[in-house]
Amino acid sequence: MMRAFLLGVRLPGRVVRESLRREGRIAAPFGLRRIGALLLIAPVFAALQLCHWIGFALDEWLFPKYRSVNIRQPVFISGIPRSGTTFVHRFLAKHLVDTTTFSTWEAVLAPSICERLLVRALDRLDQLLGGPGRRLLGWITERMAGRQDAFHPIRLEDGEEDYLALLPIGGCFITVLLFPSSPQIWSLTALEEWRAKDRATLLDFYHRCLQRHLWFHGPDKRLLSKNAAFASWLPYLRDRYPDGRFLVCVRPPHEALASNLSSLRGALLATGNARAAPAFTTAMAKAYLRSFQQLLAFASIQSTLPTVGILDQPVLKAHPEKVLGRLCQEMGLPLEPSSLTQDSASAGTTQPHRHRWFTAAPIPAQFSSQCHPIYEQIKALGHSSSGP
C-alpha cells in the first residue's frame, strides 16, 4: 500500500506543477474564477483523500482477509464517452443476476471498508432522526450536478463509474476539469505510455478497490464495472482478469465528441476554465482518436471470443432489449427473466439535448475523416452492427 500512497502523492503534485508552468498557464490561464474554484475545492478534496488513505490503512489492519477475495468473471463496460455506456451499465446493474457495482457514494465518499461501515452506521442514526443527513447530501449532490442531469444523472445511490475510486491515487480522468492543461491527467487515456512500475501500482490499487467492494457486498457476486475512459486499460484488465467479460460501446465519432464537449461545458465554466476551451477541444479530439485506435486493436484480437461484445450506440438505442439480451446470452451473462421487456425507452445517451460548446473552440476539421474509418472497422467486428 505504501507504493500506492507515494504514487498518490507524486501524481497530483506533478499535475499542479504542470499547471503552474508557462505552457500550462497559457493553455489554461488562472483567472479569478478559476483561482476561487481551486481555493474552494482543493482543501475539501485534500481532506477527503486523507480520510480515504486512513481508511485504506485501517482496512489492512482490521480486514486483511479482503485481499483473498477472488474476482470471478467480472464485467467491464468501456468504449468512448457518450456512447451509451451509462445506459448499459445501469441496465445490467438492475437486471444482471447476482451482480454488484459501485454506487456514487461508495466511489467518492467511501472507497475503503472502514469508511463504508462508518457511513452505514451514520446512515442508521440519521434514519432514526428522520433523515436530515440524507436530505442534505441529496440537496448538495443536486446542486453540484446542476445541468449535468441532462447528460448524466447523478444520484448518491445510483451505479457510477468506479474510476472515481482512483481519485486518491491520482488515477481519475475527471480531474481534467480542474487542470485541463495537465499532460499527466491526459496520459490516463494512454496507459501504455506509463512507466511499467507506475502502471502496475495503479492497476494493483484498482484491484484492491474491487476486492474491498466485493468483500463488503459479498464475494460470490459478479462485479460490474463501467469506465468510459478505460479504452487503453482494456488489454491490462484482460490480462489480470482472463475470465472477464468486456462490453465495448461505440458511436459515430463526431456525434460522440460533440455530445461529450457539450456535457462538459458547464463544468469548465464553473471551474473558470472557459479560456482553456481551444486547447481542451484539441486534446479531447486527440484522446478520442487514440481511444478509437485502442478499441480497434483490442477488438481485432478479442472479437472472436465470447467474452468480448461490441455495442454500436445507434443500434442499441433503436433496439436496446433485443441487442443486450442477445449479447448477454452469447457472453454467458444471465439476466433476470423480466429484464428484456423493460427500459427500452431510456436506451442510449440519457436525455436529448442541444449540443453547445464554446464558439472559439470548434472540433478540428480532420477529426471525422480520421476517426470514422476506425469506427466502421470496429462496428464490422461487432456482434450488433447489423442490428437485431
Side-chain angles (χ1 to χ4, degrees):
M1 193 183 76
M2 182 55 68
R3 283 197 310 166
F5 174 75
L6 293 176
L7 187 64
V9 172
R10 179 158 54 87
L11 294 187
R14 183 182 298 170
V15 169
V16 173
R17 290 196 301 273
E18 290 171 345
S19 299
L20 292 175
R21 291 172 184 162
R22 182 174 180 273
E23 315 88 77
R25 297 197 310 271
I26 292 174
F30 283 90
L32 290 178
R33 175 173 287 190
R34 187 181 182 201
I35 293 173
L38 289 172
L39 290 176
L40 178 65
I41 295 172
V44 177
F45 179 82
L48 185 60
Q49 305 320 307
L50 178 59
C51 290
H52 294 339
W53 282 111
I54 293 173
F56 295 145
L58 289 174
D59 287 351
E60 301 299 323
W61 179 41
L62 298 174
F63 307 106
K65 290 185 178 180
Y66 86 86
R67 285 174 167 258
S68 64
V69 171
N70 290 321
I71 302 175
R72 293 186 291 269
Q73 297 186 354
V75 179
F76 295 97
I77 303 166
S78 191
I80 58 170
R82 306 299 300 161
S83 62
T85 54
T86 297
F87 169 75
V88 174
H89 178 221
R90 294 184 178 177
F91 180 94
L92 294 182
K94 184 177 180 181
H95 299 302
L96 194 60
V97 174
D98 292 330
T99 190
T100 178
T101 192
F102 276 70
S103 63
T104 303
W105 74 267
E106 290 173 319
V108 177
L109 300 177
S112 75
I113 296 170
C114 290
E115 287 175 304
R116 294 187 189 188
L117 293 173
L118 176 60
V119 170
R120 177 186 284 177
L122 292 175
D123 183 59
R124 289 173 179 169
L125 177 60
D126 181 63
Q127 291 180 38
L128 292 175
L129 298 175
R134 271 183 174 249
R135 289 194 294 271
L136 177 61
L137 282 175
W139 181 84
I140 293 173
T141 303
E142 289 179 6
R143 294 299 179 273
M144 291 181 66
R147 296 180 181 179
Q148 189 69 18
D149 262 12
F151 306 92
H152 182 98
I154 298 174
R155 301 291 183 272
L156 288 175
E157 298 290 343
D158 285 350
E160 193 48 85
E161 303 200 32
D162 57 35
Y163 80 159
L164 293 170
L166 296 172
L167 282 167
I169 201 173
C172 181
F173 184 70
I174 199 172
T175 52
V176 77
L177 297 175
L178 286 173
F179 300 99
S181 64
S182 168
Q184 173 59 48
I185 297 177
W186 287 103
S187 75
L188 289 168
T189 65
L191 203 61
E192 70 279 2
E193 297 177 2
W194 278 45
R195 293 193 311 169
K197 183 178 179 180
D198 290 345
R199 182 172 59 238
T201 301
L202 180 62
L203 290 167
D204 286 344
F205 179 83
Y206 180 62
H207 180 70
R208 297 301 182 204
C209 288
L210 302 186
Q211 286 182 307
R212 289 184 178 95
H213 182 80
L214 284 176
W215 187 96
F216 187 80
H217 287 279
D220 294 330
K221 289 184 176 293
R222 184 196 297 267
L223 181 84
L224 176 64
S225 165
K226 173 252 179 175
N227 297 282
F230 267 16
S232 69
W233 294 52
L234 293 180
Y236 306 104
L237 294 175
R238 175 202 58 208
D239 291 343
R240 183 169 287 249
Y241 310 105
D243 63 344
R245 304 294 190 269
F246 298 87
L247 300 180
V248 175
C249 298
V250 293
R251 182 182 182 183
H254 196 280
E255 286 183 18
L257 179 57
S259 179
N260 197 23
L261 291 173
S262 181
S263 70
L264 298 175
R265 181 178 186 273
L268 287 174
L269 285 171
T271 55
N273 282 308
R275 293 167 65 187
F280 186 86
T281 303
T282 300
M284 188 63 79
K286 290 180 180 178
Y288 261 72
L289 174 59
R290 184 164 54 239
S291 293
F292 272 107
Q293 293 169 337
Q294 292 158 341
L295 294 174
L296 177 60
F298 181 77
S300 297
I301 298 172
Q302 302 294 318
S303 63
T304 57
L305 302 177
T307 56
V308 176
I310 297 170
L311 292 162
D312 182 29
Q313 191 261 0
V315 177
L316 174 66
K317 191 172 183 179
H319 307 282
E321 65 283 344
K322 292 182 180 180
V323 170
L324 282 174
R326 184 184 64 191
L327 189 57
C328 287
Q329 184 177 24
E330 291 174 353
M331 300 179 74
L333 299 176
L335 296 175
E336 298 288 353
S338 62
S339 61
L340 299 185
T341 60
Q342 302 176 20
D343 301 322
S344 60
S346 60
T349 55
T350 65
Q351 304 173 17
H353 62 277
R354 294 178 58 191
H355 293 170
R356 300 177 62 204
W357 188 232
F358 302 100
T359 55
I363 295 175
Q366 70 275 20
F367 172 75
S368 292
S369 61
Q370 292 174 326
C371 286
H372 199 79
I374 304 174
Y375 162 68
E376 291 293 340
Q377 292 179 67
I378 296 173
K379 278 205 309 177
L381 293 169
H383 297 277
S384 62
S385 57
S386 60

